[in-house]
Amino acid sequence: MRVEPQQLKAFLLDAKLISEKQFEEALKSAQESNQRVGDVLVSQGLIAQEELIKMEAYILGIPFVSLEKEKVEDDVLKIIPEPIARSNNIVAFRKKGKDLEVAMLDPEDLRTIEFIKKTSDLKILPRLTTPESIKNVLRQYQKTLEAEFGEIIKKEAEGIKTVKEGFPMEKGEGEELKKMAEELPVVRIVDTLLKHAILERSSDIHIEPTKKEVIVRYRIDGVLRDAMTLPKQVASGIVARIKVLSNLKLDEHRLPQDGRFRIETEDYKYSVRVSILPVFDGEKVVMRLLPESAKALTLEQLGLRGDALEGIQDNLRKPVGMILVTGPTGCGKTTTLYSMMEILNVPGVNISTVEDPVEYRMPRINQTQVNPKIGLTFASGLRSLVRQDPDIIMVGEIRDNETASLAINAALTGHLVLSTLHTTSASGAIPRLIDMKVEPFLISSTLSIILAQRLVRRLCGEKEKYTLKESEIKNLKKYCDLEKVLHVLREEKLIKPKETFKDIVFYRPKPSKECPDGYRGRLGIYEVMPITETIKELIIKEADSDQIQAQAQKEGMKTMIEDGFIKAAQGTTSIEEVLRVIVE
């Protein structure tokens, strides 16, 4: 059940909303970009999205509903679980007897309709609606959950007694903490914190004790945000519960501890990495949430494009050599390596890794977790890997001379090696390897390509257009060569030949209920430096990073800030966000 282009054309022409020429041009554009012709008409401003959906509903004989200002009753809303509603753009909004009215964007999604029918034992009445209507109803799930979380924590916290934590602990207090960790109020609070964080798309949970209270913060899209404040008396119970889940020592409060545990429901599976650190007012807990069901993104989805993408793809086809990904902690280096391994992961090759930690499980890849306590380091793990007949080796991070030498040697002896380095730019990786006592001629012989990256937040669908003021343009000159940036934007055909920075339309975040700060999700900005013959010569001469960077740019490498400006001009992110992650 789909509206065919000719059906839509006849309707639009009869209503005299557009001309036949406009429709044919939109149809051609839709075929070239693999989009629906109606979506192209909307993007070109020829017809409003709501009007288009109303027409499609009329043609298909399906009622249209607008829910942009509708408040759905909680018991009706919960008939469709939030994960199903979000992933399939379908919400329940009215129930009468055994009839359940559902609003959706795709009336062809019969599988979801049948699933809801079976799970609810109700007759499903589909209605077409707008994306804004769906967003409005989805926001109501969050309000309901936040209210539930607040009530749970407030109620359960009242039933928790305070346990004194001495240094050293008095006799019997360890057992008292263990008992508290198993009590229902503490269990519910920790479960609630985890569930709330997952629904907020948080990557980390910070539980920070202060003198009078406990502050909980979530890291969402790379930025820490206050989530809630808890009474001080819950601190000991929460920490004890997390220690029990992670199999850590309950009676140790003076030394840092690390562990992990798993949480699993019908909707999600997460591995939780735990770090506990003694601080002045108690123990701070940081939990990293790693979705086990997460699939590696494609390089395009990560934000790689053009010559940079082609350069990476070409070097992944080579059977030998070394590919390095560089950047600071938390910039997505490991995610990029996993995306590369997803491309390389075919039955005809043996891929082995040594990682710290193993963040995502990948089928058919032999993943080894570093454990320094028993002597399993990157170096010792890599030394063993090369005896496992690998074709491709991934080393989570090159930290020292021994690991660097082994990785270089593996690339020399017929392996493709993927790894990461902590450097701020692609060119900075070469002096870093030389500092690790790797011979320059070995670096030039094995290194194939270096990728440097940062993560920027994506702008939400609602965003504000603006052009730069003279003072803002002047300020940008501190961070980049504006003439080079203009040249790159012209090459990408994002601006006309004679346009300057005053003419370029950029975008600012526009806060909304769905996106409180105007951003949602992240993507990478990159600079990709192939190791060409001229750069090999500079490596052998032990040229500094500035000289190597200049040569790479001369040969066509786009810098991270230039890639950031491309994505800012496309409306994917903002200039402020690009500067935030690059200016150090």
Side-chain angles (χ1 to χ4, degrees):
M1 185 166 57
R2 183 186 294 273
V3 176
E4 296 298 329
Q6 294 310 314
Q7 288 177 295
L8 184 61
K9 177 182 177 181
F11 195 94
L12 289 167
L13 293 181
D14 284 347
K16 296 182 180 179
L17 293 171
I18 63 170
S19 68
E20 186 166 358
K21 182 182 177 182
Q22 286 174 320
F23 185 87
E24 293 303 328
E25 287 175 352
L27 180 60
K28 183 181 177 183
S29 177
Q31 290 167 343
E32 289 173 353
S33 58
N34 196 29
Q35 291 180 279
R36 296 193 319 151
V37 64
D39 294 335
V40 172
L41 290 167
V42 170
S43 67
Q44 292 176 345
L46 296 171
I47 184 172
Q49 187 174 54
E50 185 170 329
E51 290 304 314
L52 171 69
I53 295 171
K54 283 180 179 177
M55 289 176 204
E56 291 179 334
Y58 180 83
I59 293 168
L60 294 171
I62 298 173
F64 171 86
V65 293
S66 175
L67 303 174
E68 290 185 28
K69 297 180 180 178
E70 191 87 7
K71 174 69 174 76
V72 180
E73 294 178 9
D74 287 349
D75 56 341
V76 175
L77 187 70
K78 292 177 185 176
I79 292 173
I80 300 178
E82 187 186 10
I84 301 295
R86 283 191 182 278
S87 58
N88 296 281
N89 285 310
I90 182 169
V91 292
F93 67 95
R94 189 176 297 132
K95 180 177 176 289
K96 192 173 183 180
K98 296 290 283 183
D99 293 342
L100 179 68
E101 292 185 70
V102 298
M104 57 198 308
L105 301 182
D106 181 11
E108 287 190 301
D109 191 358
L110 302 179
R111 188 180 68 173
T112 302
I113 292 173
E114 190 61 29
F115 172 80
I116 295 166
K117 181 181 177 182
K118 285 181 180 178
T119 55
S120 66
D121 194 27
L122 297 169
K123 181 182 178 181
I124 307 302
L125 305 175
R127 309 287 187 247
L128 265 180
T129 192
T130 63
E132 286 304 315
S133 292
I134 294 286
K135 286 178 183 177
N136 174 54
V137 180
L138 288 176
R139 281 194 289 266
Q140 294 176 39
Y141 279 99
Q142 196 64 31
K143 289 176 183 176
T144 303
L145 283 166
E146 285 174 0
E148 287 178 1
F149 291 150
E151 287 172 14
I152 289 170
I153 287 171
K154 185 178 178 182
K155 181 180 176 183
E156 303 300 345
E158 291 172 358
I160 296 175
K161 60 182 179 180
T162 304
V163 173
K164 180 185 175 184
E165 295 176 6
F167 298 99
M169 294 181 69
E170 295 176 12
K171 187 177 179 180
E173 286 181 2
E175 287 301 315
E176 194 174 351
L177 272 175
K178 187 175 181 180
K179 184 180 176 183
M180 176 188 279
E182 303 295 343
E183 288 178 352
L184 202 54
V186 173
V187 171
R188 282 181 177 167
I189 287 178
V190 173
D191 288 351
T192 300
L193 290 175
L194 288 165
K195 185 178 179 183
H196 193 194
I198 289 167
L199 291 171
E200 287 278 359
R201 305 176 301 106
S202 172
S203 62
D204 300 85
I205 305 171
H206 289 237
I207 301 171
E208 303 170 343
T210 65
K211 186 177 180 181
K212 296 182 179 179
E213 58 195 12
V214 177
I215 297 169
V216 179
R217 298 196 288 171
Y218 294 157
R219 188 177 294 280
I220 301 169
D221 294 334
V223 178
L224 272 174
R225 304 174 187 172
D226 284 2
M228 59 191 78
T229 302
L230 306 178
K232 181 69 174 180
Q233 73 259 29
V234 307
S236 343
I238 288 174
V239 174
R241 176 64 184 164
I242 293 167
K243 284 182 177 180
V244 167
L245 290 171
S246 312
N247 198 27
L248 299 176
K249 294 179 181 179
L250 275 171
D251 57 353
E252 179 58 76
H253 301 288
R254 293 168 293 181
L255 293 174
Q257 296 190 72
D258 296 318
R260 64 193 304 156
F261 63 91
R262 293 179 72 251
I263 49 176
E264 182 175 343
T265 70
E266 291 180 0
D267 300 323
Y268 51 74
K269 293 180 184 177
Y270 275 78
S271 177
V272 183
R273 203 168 79 220
V274 176
S275 172
I276 298 179
L277 180 72
V279 293
F280 189 81
D281 290 301
E283 291 175 280
K284 177 182 175 179
V285 180
V286 176
M287 293 186 280
R288 167 68 56 89
L289 304 177
L290 302 168
E292 293 187 355
S293 57
K295 294 182 180 178
L297 299 172
T298 64
L299 296 176
E300 293 88 342
Q301 287 171 328
L302 292 178
L304 280 157
R305 47 185 300 288
D307 293 341
L309 175 62
E310 287 178 21
I312 294 292
Q313 290 172 332
D314 289 345
N315 281 280
L316 287 173
R317 295 187 193 104
K318 295 179 181 178
V320 297
M322 179 183 282
I323 297 173
L324 284 179
V325 182
T326 74
T329 301
C331 73
K333 298 187 296 294
T334 304
T335 301
T336 301
L337 288 183
Y338 280 137
S339 297
M340 292 179 186
M341 287 195 291
E342 185 73 14
I343 295 168
L344 297 166
N345 191 11
V346 294
V349 298
N350 173 21
I351 304 178
S352 295
T353 78
V354 54
E355 307 172 55
D356 183 22
V358 174
E359 294 197 3
Y360 302 108
R361 292 296 311 279
M362 298 189 77
R364 300 181 66 93
I365 291 180
N366 310 292
Q367 295 173 268
T368 302
Q369 166 78 52
V370 164
N371 189 347
K373 291 178 182 177
I374 59 170
L376 180 53
T377 62
F378 278 117
S380 62
L382 181 53
R383 195 178 290 109
S384 298
L385 283 192
V386 295
R387 295 195 287 269
Q388 287 278 313
D389 186 32
D391 299 291
I392 298 160
I393 296 171
M394 191 275 265
V395 184
E397 185 185 340
I398 294 176
R399 294 178 179 172
D400 51 45
N401 165 255
E402 189 179 7
T403 309
S405 299
L406 287 166
I408 291 283
N409 189 59
L412 275 173
T413 53
H415 303 91
L416 179 61
V417 178
L418 313 177
S419 191
T420 71
L421 267 181
H422 281 288
T423 62
T424 57
S425 64
S427 60
I430 293 161
R432 180 81 181 99
L433 288 171
I434 293 173
D435 286 344
M436 291 180 181
K437 310 301 180 188
V438 179
E439 292 293 341
F441 76 90
L442 291 176
I443 298 171
S444 67
S445 302
T446 55
L447 206 51
S448 303
I449 197 165
I450 307 172
L451 179 152
Q453 68 179 70
R454 301 287 190 278
L455 290 178
V456 294
R457 291 179 291 171
R458 284 182 186 270
L459 287 166
C460 283
E462 293 183 32
K463 48 200 170 191
E464 181 185 331
K465 293 182 180 180
Y466 76 104
T467 53
L468 292 169
K469 297 175 183 175
E470 191 65 46
S471 59
E472 292 171 320
I473 295 171
K474 187 177 179 181
N475 187 53
L476 284 177
K477 290 179 182 177
K478 299 175 187 175
Y479 309 112
C480 59
D481 185 329
L482 295 187
E483 285 305 315
K484 284 186 179 178
V485 172
L486 283 173
H487 176 70
V488 167
L489 295 178
R490 289 182 188 123
E491 275 189 335
E492 297 290 327
K493 297 182 179 178
L494 290 169
I495 61 173
K496 294 175 183 176
K498 292 184 180 181
E499 285 186 326
T500 67
F501 265 97
K502 292 179 182 178
D503 307 305
I504 305 171
V505 174
F506 290 107
Y507 299 83
R508 287 194 184 104
K510 187 177 180 181
S512 62
K513 290 182 180 178
E514 188 182 35
C515 305
D517 54 8
Y519 295 100
R520 191 174 185 86
R522 289 191 289 176
L523 80 158
I525 56 174
Y526 303 92
E527 61 185 35
V528 176
M529 187 175 80
I531 306 302
T532 61
E533 291 304 318
T534 49
I535 289 177
K536 285 181 181 180
E537 290 173 12
L538 289 172
I539 294 171
I540 291 169
K541 292 176 183 176
E542 297 191 36
D544 62 31
S545 60
D546 290 340
Q547 292 172 298
I548 295 169
Q549 178 89 357
Q551 180 61 33
Q553 287 181 250
K554 188 177 177 182
E555 294 177 5
M557 180 187 82
K558 292 182 178 67
T559 63
M560 271 186 288
I561 199 160
E562 289 167 358
D563 190 38
F565 269 101
I566 288 170
K567 284 159 183 166
Q570 290 172 331
T572 313
T573 189
S574 66
I575 292 176
E576 292 79 9
E577 185 65 9
V578 173
L579 294 178
R580 180 183 71 84
V581 301
I582 287 181
V583 177
E584 297 166 340

